[in-house]
Amino acid sequence: MNNTKAVLIARPDGMAKQSDFAIKEEAVREISDGEILIAIKFLSLDPALRGWMNEGTTYIKGVELGTVMRCFGAGEIIQSNHPDYNVGEHVSGLLGAQQFSISDGKGLSKCDLGVGPLSWHLGIMGMPGMTAYFGLLEKGKPVAGETVFVSGAAGVVGSTVGQIAKIKGCRVVGTAGTNAKCKYLLDECGFDAAINYKEEDVEAGIKKHCPDGIHVFYDNVGGPLLDTVLANLGKGARVVICGAISQYNKSPIYGPSNYMKIVTARGYITGIIVFDYIKEYPKAVREISAWMKEGKMKTKEHIEKGIENFPSTLEMLFTGKNFGKLLLEV
Ligand SMILES: NC(=O)c1ccc[n+]([C@@H]2O[C@H](COP(=O)([O-])OP(=O)(O)OC[C@H]3O[C@@H](n4cnc5c(N)ncnc54)[C@H](OP(=O)(O)O)[C@@H]3O)[C@@H](O)[C@H]2O)c1
């Protein structure tokens, strides 16, 4: 059996490009005692991959040049020499950008297909869904009646944040980059208002849709948008920095100049790294699964095909061409 994989061969300067990767093929080796062989069905394209391509260590070490690109994946166990894993079971984890992955089982999660299809375990019931759940509830601490503002709202993290905030009784306003995405937020996700940040004046939109100020800002975008929101915080506001996708391809990055508004709002700015909540994931999966079954929450997926398209698919996250959780079917 041959394994096709996307190997990182260069550190990107700005946007990651095709030439930063080599698509290689090699024979799958025999598994040893304590190992399993996974046939990967879906790879998860996440904005964090851009940071993992850089040299050095942040919350996780950068991917070594010449090795398979790190990314989440989900698949089926097709061989097992491990007592805890059986052939036919489905697992997810950092399986790498490839067709087959050999694992000793450490860091893998078993996927219960009873709570949702395999792809959901990389999206709303996987790492991005957990980010939304814990980032909003543990860091943003929304209270019914408050206004929650979400940037990058039409993505898997943003749309999940907004829907949880609605369930918690908040007014929810978000930004997205196309009218179709804004329509999805209003019609499918129950947002109270959506602002197309590419075509509309965001400040004017905030004044119109958030008359009492913003109490929780869940930021996926960063840059000048963060400054605009800081200028419009309500009293006691919590600003959750989840990501800053507008800055991932830049160096140096744009920092906020309106940060003193945190003082006048008596608020705080905080960050979230989802991996800090790994032990609590099952609780969140149970709750999100129940909300999905009750029809209180929806998710949208964008599925591309073929491992050779890994580099061009990754690019979609940074041009806004993805509409929903971006996956590559292997
Ligand atoms: N802290 C953590 O532990 C953690 C974990 C997971 C994810 N995250 C962060 O969560 C955020 C959302 O991730 P996701 O998986 O849900 O991705 P996503 O929203 O599905 O995809 C990325 C979206 O970002 C938007 N975007 C790209 N460039 C932009 C720019 N210059 N300005 C404004 N928007 C831009 C695009 O949508 P538009 O069409 O709307 O522009 C694009 O579709 C990212 O910042 C990611 O790094 C953090």
Side-chain angles (χ1 to χ4, degrees), residues 91-135:
V91 289
S92 66
L94 287 168
L95 304 181
Q98 53 190 341
Q99 289 175 304
F100 297 97
S101 183
I102 292 176
S103 167
D104 60 7
K106 284 195 192 109
L108 293 185
S109 305
K110 290 196 183 179
C111 302
D112 176 0
L113 301 190
V115 299
L118 189 60
S119 56
W120 285 10
H121 292 263
L122 295 173
I124 193 152
M125 288 176 185
M127 185 276 287
M130 300 300 101
T131 306
Y133 183 96
F134 291 106

Coordinates of all heavy atoms in Angstrom, one line a residue, residues 91-135:
V91 N -11.2 7.1 14.7 CA -10.5 7.9 15.7 C -10.1 9.2 15.0 O -10.1 9.4 13.8 CB -9.1 7.2 16.1 CG1 -9.4 6.1 17.0 CG2 -8.3 6.8 14.9
S92 N -9.8 10.2 15.8 CA -9.4 11.5 15.3 C -8.2 12.0 16.1 O -8.0 11.5 17.3 CB -10.5 12.6 15.4 OG -10.8 12.9 16.7
G93 N -7.4 12.8 15.6 CA -6.2 13.3 16.3 C -5.2 14.0 15.3 O -5.6 14.2 14.1
L94 N -4.1 14.3 15.7 CA -3.1 14.9 14.9 C -2.4 13.8 14.0 O -1.3 13.3 14.2 CB -2.0 15.6 15.7 CG -2.5 16.9 16.4 CD1 -1.5 17.4 17.4 CD2 -2.7 18.0 15.3
L95 N -3.2 13.5 12.9 CA -2.7 12.3 12.1 C -1.8 12.7 11.0 O -1.2 11.9 10.3 CB -4.0 11.6 11.5 CG -5.0 11.2 12.5 CD1 -6.2 10.5 11.8 CD2 -4.4 10.2 13.6
G96 N -1.7 14.0 10.7 CA -0.8 14.5 9.6 C -1.5 14.5 8.3 O -2.5 13.8 8.0
A97 N -1.0 15.4 7.4 CA -1.6 15.6 6.0 C -1.2 14.4 5.1 O -0.2 14.5 4.3 CB -1.1 16.9 5.4
Q98 N -1.9 13.3 5.3 CA -1.5 12.1 4.5 C -2.7 11.1 4.4 O -3.7 11.4 5.0 CB -0.3 11.4 5.2 CG -0.5 11.1 6.7 CD 0.7 10.6 7.4 OE1 1.6 10.2 6.8 NE2 0.7 10.7 8.7
Q99 N -2.5 10.1 3.7 CA -3.6 9.1 3.5 C -3.7 8.1 4.6 O -4.8 7.6 5.0 CB -3.5 8.4 2.2 CG -3.7 9.2 1.0 CD -3.4 8.4 -0.3 OE1 -2.3 7.9 -0.5 NE2 -4.4 8.4 -1.2
F100 N -2.6 7.7 5.1 CA -2.5 6.7 6.2 C -1.6 7.2 7.3 O -0.6 7.9 7.1 CB -1.9 5.3 5.7 CG -2.7 4.7 4.6 CD1 -2.4 4.9 3.3 CD2 -3.8 3.9 4.9 CE1 -3.1 4.3 2.2 CE2 -4.6 3.3 3.9 CZ -4.2 3.5 2.5
S101 N -2.0 6.8 8.6 CA -1.2 7.3 9.7 C -1.0 6.1 10.6 O -1.9 5.3 10.9 CB -2.0 8.4 10.4 OG -1.2 8.9 11.5
I102 N 0.3 5.9 11.1 CA 0.5 4.9 12.1 C 0.7 5.5 13.4 O 1.4 6.6 13.6 CB 1.8 4.1 11.7 CG1 1.6 3.3 10.4 CG2 2.3 3.2 12.9 CD1 2.8 2.6 9.9
S103 N 0.0 5.0 14.5 CA -0.1 5.7 15.8 C 0.1 4.7 16.9 O -0.3 3.5 16.7 CB -1.4 6.4 15.9 OG -1.6 6.8 17.2
D104 N 0.7 5.1 18.0 CA 0.7 4.3 19.2 C -0.6 4.6 20.1 O -0.6 4.1 21.2 CB 2.0 4.5 20.0 CG 2.1 6.0 20.5 OD1 1.1 6.8 20.3 OD2 3.2 6.3 21.0
G105 N -1.5 5.4 19.6 CA -2.7 5.6 20.2 C -2.7 6.8 21.1 O -3.8 7.4 21.5
K106 N -1.5 7.3 21.5 CA -1.4 8.5 22.4 C -2.0 9.7 21.7 O -1.7 10.0 20.5 CB 0.0 8.8 22.7 CG 0.6 7.8 23.8 CD 1.9 8.3 24.4 CE 2.5 7.2 25.2 NZ 3.7 6.7 24.5
G107 N -2.9 10.4 22.4 CA -3.5 11.7 21.9 C -4.6 11.5 20.9 O -5.2 12.4 20.4
L108 N -5.0 10.2 20.7 CA -6.2 10.0 19.8 C -7.5 10.0 20.6 O -7.5 9.7 21.7 CB -6.1 8.6 19.1 CG -4.9 8.4 18.1 CD1 -5.1 7.0 17.5 CD2 -4.9 9.4 17.1
S109 N -8.5 10.4 19.9 CA -9.9 10.4 20.5 C -10.7 9.4 19.6 O -10.6 9.4 18.4 CB -10.6 11.7 20.4 OG -9.8 12.7 21.0
K110 N -11.5 8.5 20.3 CA -12.4 7.7 19.6 C -13.6 8.5 19.2 O -14.1 9.3 20.0 CB -12.8 6.5 20.4 CG -11.6 5.5 20.7 CD -12.1 4.2 21.2 CE -10.9 3.3 21.5 NZ -11.2 2.0 22.0
C111 N -14.0 8.3 17.9 CA -15.2 9.1 17.4 C -16.4 8.2 17.5 O -16.5 7.2 16.9 CB -15.0 9.5 16.0 SG -13.5 10.4 15.7
D112 N -17.4 8.7 18.3 CA -18.7 8.1 18.4 C -19.6 8.6 17.3 O -20.1 9.7 17.3 CB -19.3 8.4 19.8 CG -20.7 7.9 20.0 OD1 -21.2 7.2 19.1 OD2 -21.2 8.1 21.1
L113 N -19.8 7.7 16.3 CA -20.6 8.1 15.1 C -22.0 8.2 15.5 O -22.8 8.7 14.7 CB -20.3 7.2 14.0 CG -18.9 7.1 13.5 CD1 -18.8 6.3 12.2 CD2 -18.2 8.4 13.3
G114 N -22.4 7.8 16.7 CA -23.8 8.0 17.1 C -24.1 9.4 17.4 O -25.3 9.8 17.4
V115 N -23.1 10.2 17.8 CA -23.4 11.6 18.1 C -23.3 12.5 16.8 O -23.7 13.7 16.8 CB -22.5 12.2 19.2 CG1 -22.7 11.5 20.5 CG2 -21.1 12.2 18.9
G116 N -22.7 12.0 15.8 CA -22.6 12.8 14.6 C -21.6 12.1 13.6 O -20.8 11.3 14.0
P117 N -21.7 12.4 12.3 CA -20.8 11.8 11.3 C -19.4 12.1 11.6 O -19.0 13.1 12.3 CB -21.3 12.5 10.0 CG -22.1 13.7 10.4 CD -22.6 13.4 11.7
L118 N -18.5 11.3 11.0 CA -17.0 11.4 11.3 C -16.5 12.9 11.1 O -15.7 13.4 11.9 CB -16.3 10.5 10.4 CG -14.8 10.3 10.7 CD1 -14.6 9.7 12.1 CD2 -14.1 9.4 9.6
S119 N -17.0 13.5 10.0 CA -16.5 14.9 9.7 C -16.8 15.8 10.8 O -16.0 16.7 11.1 CB -17.0 15.4 8.4 OG -18.5 15.3 8.4
W120 N -17.9 15.7 11.5 CA -18.2 16.6 12.6 C -17.2 16.5 13.7 O -17.1 17.4 14.5 CB -19.6 16.3 13.2 CG -20.8 16.7 12.3 CD1 -20.7 17.1 11.0 CD2 -22.1 16.7 12.7 NE1 -22.0 17.4 10.6 CE2 -22.9 17.1 11.6 CE3 -22.8 16.3 13.9 CZ2 -24.3 17.2 11.6 CZ3 -24.2 16.5 13.9 CH2 -24.9 16.9 12.8
H121 N -16.5 15.4 13.8 CA -15.5 15.2 14.9 C -14.3 16.0 14.7 O -13.4 16.1 15.5 CB -15.2 13.7 15.1 CG -16.4 12.9 15.7 ND1 -16.6 12.7 17.0 CD2 -17.5 12.5 15.1 CE1 -17.7 12.0 17.2 NE2 -18.3 11.9 16.0
L122 N -14.2 16.6 13.5 CA -13.1 17.6 13.2 C -13.6 19.0 13.2 O -12.9 19.9 13.1 CB -12.5 17.3 11.8 CG -11.8 15.9 11.7 CD1 -11.4 15.7 10.3 CD2 -10.6 15.8 12.6
G123 N -14.9 19.1 13.4 CA -15.6 20.5 13.3 C -16.3 20.8 14.6 O -15.7 21.0 15.6
I124 N -17.6 20.8 14.5 CA -18.4 21.3 15.6 C -18.2 20.4 16.9 O -18.3 20.9 18.0 CB -19.9 21.4 15.2 CG1 -20.6 22.2 16.3 CG2 -20.5 20.0 14.9 CD1 -21.8 22.9 15.8
M125 N -17.9 19.1 16.7 CA -17.7 18.2 17.9 C -16.2 17.9 18.1 O -15.8 17.1 18.8 CB -18.5 17.0 17.7 CG -19.9 17.2 17.9 SD -20.9 15.8 17.6 CE -22.5 16.6 17.8
G126 N -15.4 18.6 17.3 CA -13.9 18.5 17.4 C -13.3 19.7 18.0 O -13.9 20.5 18.6
M127 N -12.0 19.9 17.6 CA -11.2 21.0 18.2 C -11.9 22.4 18.0 O -12.0 23.2 19.0 CB -9.8 20.9 17.6 CG -8.8 21.9 18.1 SD -8.9 23.5 17.3 CE -8.3 23.2 15.7
P128 N -12.4 22.7 16.8 CA -13.0 24.1 16.6 C -14.2 24.3 17.5 O -14.4 25.3 18.1 CB -13.3 24.1 15.1 CG -12.5 23.1 14.5 CD -12.3 22.0 15.5
G129 N -15.1 23.2 17.6 CA -16.3 23.3 18.4 C -15.9 23.5 19.9 O -16.6 24.3 20.6
M130 N -14.9 22.8 20.3 CA -14.4 22.9 21.7 C -13.9 24.3 22.0 O -14.1 24.9 23.0 CB -13.3 21.9 22.0 CG -13.8 20.4 21.8 SD -15.1 19.9 22.8 CE -16.5 20.0 21.6
T131 N -13.2 24.9 20.9 CA -12.7 26.2 21.1 C -13.8 27.2 21.3 O -13.8 28.1 22.2 CB -11.9 26.6 19.8 OG1 -11.0 25.6 19.5 CG2 -11.2 28.0 19.9
A132 N -14.9 27.1 20.5 CA -16.0 28.0 20.6 C -16.7 27.8 22.0 O -17.0 28.8 22.7 CB -17.0 27.6 19.5
Y133 N -16.9 26.6 22.4 CA -17.6 26.3 23.6 C -16.9 26.8 24.9 O -17.4 27.6 25.6 CB -17.8 24.8 23.8 CG -18.6 24.3 25.0 CD1 -20.0 24.0 24.9 CD2 -18.0 24.1 26.2 CE1 -20.7 23.6 26.0 CE2 -18.7 23.6 27.3 CZ -20.0 23.4 27.2 OH -20.7 22.9 28.3
F134 N -15.6 26.4 25.0 CA -14.8 26.8 26.2 C -14.4 28.3 26.1 O -14.4 29.0 27.1 CB -13.7 25.9 26.4 CG -14.1 24.5 26.8 CD1 -14.0 23.5 25.9 CD2 -14.6 24.3 28.0 CE1 -14.4 22.2 26.2 CE2 -15.1 23.0 28.4 CZ -15.0 22.0 27.5
G135 N -14.1 28.8 24.9 CA -13.7 30.2 24.8 C -14.8 31.1 25.2 O -14.6 32.1 25.9

